[in-house]
Amino acid sequence: MGHSNQIAKQFDEVLKDVRSSYRFLYQYQKRLMDLVAFISNHWGFLFANGESHFHNNAHKSFSNIEPGDHWAWNSLQLYHYNFVHKSKTIGKWEKVMLMINTVSDTGFYDSQDQVKTRVQDFAPVEESKTQLHIILKTQGIGWRNYMDK
């Protein structure tokens, strides 16, 4: 009985860490979204759509997540995300669009390993960065021209 009580106590501690992690992640993502809203509101841009770059885009809806059918990153879409805003006129420039690209952790991209399907293969947290890219573009230039730069 003592051994299984110890295992149950350890498991309860792990689950407490899980709850704390989710709450911490919520606070980070809320602040990130508040910052994006502040930047876009400051320049008078209206949100158009969003696009995650770090999940399987074939699974846009997660209403029926079948275990083993999705990469766990699919439910952590703000790991690397684009907030795209509607175009507007700014002075003499017409159809100017704003994209705010957020990269919460460059560890996947910084890794020297070619197969990066495991978190253990990402670059160390201490060497990775968190980035926010603010991109203004005019008509005729595709968003893809800005990716990987």
Side-chain angles (χ1 to χ4, degrees):
M1 260 324 207
H3 182 65
S4 51
N5 282 344
Q6 182 181 4
I7 291 173
K9 185 175 180 176
Q10 289 173 342
F11 189 63
D12 284 344
E13 289 299 315
V14 167
L15 293 179
K16 190 187 316 177
D17 287 344
V18 168
R19 292 189 298 273
S20 294
S21 297
Y22 266 104
R23 293 174 189 191
F24 183 77
L25 186 58
Y26 165 82
Q27 291 294 329
Y28 164 74
Q29 290 186 161
K30 175 155 181 14
R31 286 186 176 102
L32 178 65
M33 290 187 293
D34 288 349
L35 178 60
V36 168
F38 173 79
I39 293 167
S40 58
N41 290 338
H42 178 74
W43 287 329
F45 280 93
L46 298 174
F47 178 76
N49 59 35
E51 176 183 35
S52 179
H53 281 278
F54 202 75
H55 80 292
N56 182 346
N57 287 325
H59 301 291
K60 290 197 182 284
S61 171
F62 297 103
S63 59
N64 288 320
I65 296 177
E66 184 177 334
D69 192 32
H70 297 274
W71 193 22
W73 288 107
N74 287 355
S75 60
L76 297 169
Q77 295 184 29
L78 290 183
Y79 182 84
H80 181 180
Y81 199 84
N82 284 339
F83 295 89
V84 181
H85 298 78
K86 295 178 181 177
S87 65
K88 65 179 263 181
T89 299
I90 300 177
K92 65 179 181 176
W93 295 283
E94 295 181 8
K95 296 186 179 178
V96 176
M97 292 180 73
L98 167 69
M99 179 174 73
I100 301 175
N101 173 258
T102 63
V103 184
S104 295
D105 172 13
T106 62
F108 173 84
Y109 305 102
D110 297 339
S111 173
Q112 300 305 311
D113 187 359
Q114 294 303 315
V115 178
K116 305 176 249 183
T117 57
R118 301 176 321 149
V119 173
Q120 302 91 302
D121 296 331
F122 289 18
V125 171
E126 298 79 14
E127 296 172 13
S128 301
K129 306 259 185 297
T130 299
Q131 300 174 335
L132 182 118
H133 306 268
I134 300 172
I135 302 166
L136 291 169
K137 78 169 201 79
T138 58
Q139 61 187 357
I141 301 172
W143 288 124
R144 297 288 176 227
N145 295 349
Y146 293 101
M147 298 309 296
D148 301 322
K149 290 184 172 59

